Amino acid sequence: MRVLVAGASGLIGTELVRTLRAEGHEVRRLVRRRPSAPDEVNWAPRRARSTCRLSATSTPS
């Protein structure tokens, strides 16, 4: 099976990648930096911009 793993450099992701490979799966790792290994795929999401603006209006009581 082909598997794409986000968080592969973390504690759980590292073990997950190792286990999947040991079971014969083809693993690709998502990275936000420039890929430095053949099994790495760049993923650079845009930062979310807040589009919600709150405006306060006062109404006479």
Side-chain angles (χ1 to χ4, degrees):
M1 179 183 296
R2 296 172 74 186
V3 181
L4 184 62
V5 178
S9 63
L11 178 68
I12 295 171
T14 300
E15 184 62 22
L16 176 62
V17 169
R18 189 192 67 74
T19 301
L20 288 168
R21 285 186 175 147
E23 292 177 358
H25 300 288
E26 180 182 340
V27 179
R28 297 286 184 257
R29 300 177 293 150
L30 284 179
V31 295
R32 285 188 248 169
R33 58 175 163 69
R34 179 172 292 204
S36 60
D39 69 333
E40 293 181 342
V41 177
N42 179 257
W43 178 66
R46 291 187 287 165
R47 290 186 176 226
R49 292 185 191 173
S50 177
T51 57
C52 177
R53 291 193 177 141
L54 302 176
S55 60
T57 57
S58 65
T59 55
S61 302

